[in-house]
Amino acid sequence: MKASEKLAEKLIDTHSLTEEEYAALIRSREEVRDTLRGAAVRERKAIYGNKVFTRGLIEISSFCKNDCLYCGIRRSNANAERYRLTPDEILECADRGYELGFRTFVMQGGEDAYFTDERLVPLITEIKRRHPDCAVTLSLGERSYDSYKRLREAGADRYLLRHETADEEHYKKLHPAEMSFENRMRCLKNLRALGYQVGCGFMVGSPFQTPETLAKDLKFIESFKPEMCGIGPFVPHHETPFAKHTAGTLELTCFLLSVIRIIHPPVLLPATTALGTIDPMGRERGILCGANVVMPNLSPVSVRKKYELYDNKICTGEEAAECRGCLERRMAHIGYEIVSERGDFLA
Ligand code: SAH
């Protein structure tokens, strides 16, 4: 048996490898891709069957005080068009989403000082009042423990905060000096302590990423055991310092989706819009490698192009209903079913 096959077998049997073993597995992935894909699909089917959960994404603001080197809405991008949705617009997105069958709403945005706790608390309360059977997920970046606490008490159920990379030196190459790996990790721990279902995650193929940094990401997922994990390819944005870097690949993203599913079988794992952006069948391929979530856009079409984290983002022209219908057909085509459920983590 080849060394890579032994590693794959160990991963399938024990859901764990050492950091060195993860790096070796990633390097020799061609030899074990199919084996791991098969195991990932079996794990996912045992827990979630052929269900695919949807999250209605509402992009509430493109203002951001941060300057992440990879991101198209970083504050230094003077050409980014900035917008923020009003509370009424956000509530309308949620109402429309509810009619379409969404039972989770994700409010995502740049780190916009306008969205204070005083503004977010009534908004979360009102969404939960109108739609008590829905989960509210926030993805609004780093905030204080107190802020996370107030938002949680207002009814927020889940929080997505990608760790971006579990290697501190790599983190420094992706972010400006005023941001810190330490604070990112502290935020994730605070969210967990407050009882949120927490999503971490990273970009695949981000500049300076190596099999060794990825091995740290996998070890982090092994120990943190996130309820959700968002991974998608890095896609360059023309107005950022990483404009000339190459995008992450479908192949490596799909491989890592399989590995993450095996490490932590109940994890909620999206086939991301970025994956659909680098390949027309990207989201289908993601599901077939172990993902079980898709996150269509519920933002008003008038603002969608302005929430441009990376170039060529798909689904910026369609209405929410079209996106839902399109994904239902795409999933049915590969034998999966989009369901109208909250899609909570099943431990
Ligand atoms: N500001 C919030 C959420 C918005 S960004 C936060 O910091 O969590 C959501 C995710 O998009 C980021 O975590 C990042 O991993 C991803 N992203 C940003 N720029 C990207 C790019 N150029 N290509 C692919 N993904 C990107």
Side-chain angles (χ1 to χ4, degrees):
M1 208 194 240
K2 283 187 189 161
S4 57
E5 289 166 1
K6 279 195 188 138
L7 288 178
E9 204 161 85
K10 179 177 173 196
L11 178 66
I12 293 167
D13 289 347
T14 67
H15 309 278
S16 172
L17 294 179
T18 66
E19 215 173 290
E20 293 70 29
E21 288 172 333
Y22 278 126
L25 187 77
I26 290 166
R27 276 196 223 92
S28 54
R29 61 187 180 275
E30 264 170 47
E31 299 165 1
V32 291
R33 172 179 307 122
D34 294 345
T35 306
L36 293 182
R37 184 179 55 224
V41 168
R42 278 195 299 281
E43 293 281 8
R44 196 256 335 267
K45 286 215 159 151
I47 303 174
Y48 296 106
N50 67 343
K51 288 181 182 179
V52 173
F53 301 114
T54 57
R55 316 308 192 192
L57 190 63
I58 308 173
E59 297 156 335
I60 67 172
S61 174
S62 70
F63 286 89
C64 193
K65 72 172 168 64
N66 280 340
D67 220 14
C68 305
L69 277 75
Y70 44 84
C71 185
I73 63 168
R74 66 202 300 268
R75 68 159 187 268
S76 303
N77 180 4
N79 291 323
E81 282 187 65
R82 309 290 172 172
Y83 73 90
R84 72 172 61 93
L85 300 181
T86 65
D88 280 342
E89 286 174 315
I90 295 169
L91 290 166
E92 255 169 55
C93 291
D95 290 348
R96 181 86 191 99
Y98 190 87
E99 284 168 23
L100 291 168
F102 290 93
R103 294 297 178 266
T104 294
F105 304 113
V106 183
M107 286 196 270
Q108 186 179 85
E111 292 195 19
D112 179 358
Y114 175 88
F115 280 105
T116 56
D117 299 342
E118 288 69 28
R119 290 195 168 99
L120 287 168
V121 163
L123 192 57
I124 295 166
T125 310
E126 180 60 14
I127 297 181
K128 293 293 278 194
R129 190 192 68 77
R130 292 188 189 187
H131 308 295
D133 54 337
C134 292
V136 169
T137 305
L138 303 177
S139 178
L140 300 170
E142 298 177 12
R143 302 174 77 96
S144 68
Y145 179 89
D146 275 355
S147 170
Y148 287 150
K149 184 163 184 281
R150 289 176 69 183
L151 303 178
R152 173 89 184 110
E153 284 164 359
D157 303 279
R158 309 179 185 145
Y159 205 103
L160 306 178
L161 183 72
R162 291 185 175 181
H163 63 285
E164 310 296 0
T165 169
D167 180 290
E168 184 157 12
E169 290 312 306
H170 185 211
Y171 192 92
K172 287 184 188 154
K173 294 179 186 163
L174 301 179
H175 299 96
E178 70 268 15
M179 288 180 74
S180 83
F181 177 69
E182 195 197 348
N183 195 51
R184 200 80 178 173
M185 288 295 165
R186 184 185 313 126
C187 286
L188 284 167
K189 293 197 172 113
N190 287 344
L191 290 163
R192 166 66 53 83
L194 287 163
Y196 284 94
Q197 294 182 35
V198 183
C200 65
F202 57 90
M203 293 176 289
V204 176
S206 63
F208 317 112
Q209 187 176 68
T210 63
E212 286 70 31
T213 65
L214 283 170
K216 288 190 183 167
D217 291 316
L218 298 175
K219 265 326 237 191
F220 175 66
I221 290 164
E222 229 186 88
S223 61
F224 189 67
K225 298 206 174 347
E227 283 79 16
M228 290 95 61
C229 184
I231 72 159
F234 159 74
V235 183
H237 184 287
H238 62 284
E239 294 274 7
T240 64
F242 292 160
K244 296 277 178 276
H245 285 259
T246 49
T249 64
L250 176 73
E251 177 274 310
L252 182 54
T253 306
C254 284
F255 176 77
L256 291 167
L257 285 170
S258 298
V259 171
I260 292 168
R261 170 67 59 201
I262 296 167
I263 291 174
H264 186 32
V267 72
L268 291 155
L269 203 53
T272 60
T273 304
L275 193 56
T277 295
I278 61 162
D279 188 288
M281 293 290 280
R283 286 167 302 177
E284 288 91 329
R285 294 282 298 278
I287 297 291
L288 291 169
C289 288
N292 66 334
V293 172
V294 288
M295 300 178 69
N297 205 316
L298 286 180
S299 308
V301 173
S302 58
V303 304
R304 284 201 198 173
K305 278 206 167 40
K306 300 179 192 168
Y307 195 80
E308 193 191 41
L309 308 182
Y310 48 83
D311 289 341
N312 307 315
K313 189 175 149 198
I314 55 166
C315 307
T316 55
E318 289 89 6
E319 291 294 343
E322 293 172 66
C323 279
R324 178 138 188 131
C326 166
L327 277 169
E328 280 174 0
R329 283 190 299 279
R330 283 170 177 266
M331 294 301 131
H333 188 70
I334 56 169
Y336 286 78
E337 185 199 359
I338 294 241
V339 293
S340 198
E341 298 175 19
R342 275 173 56 125
D344 282 298
F345 176 79
L346 297 178

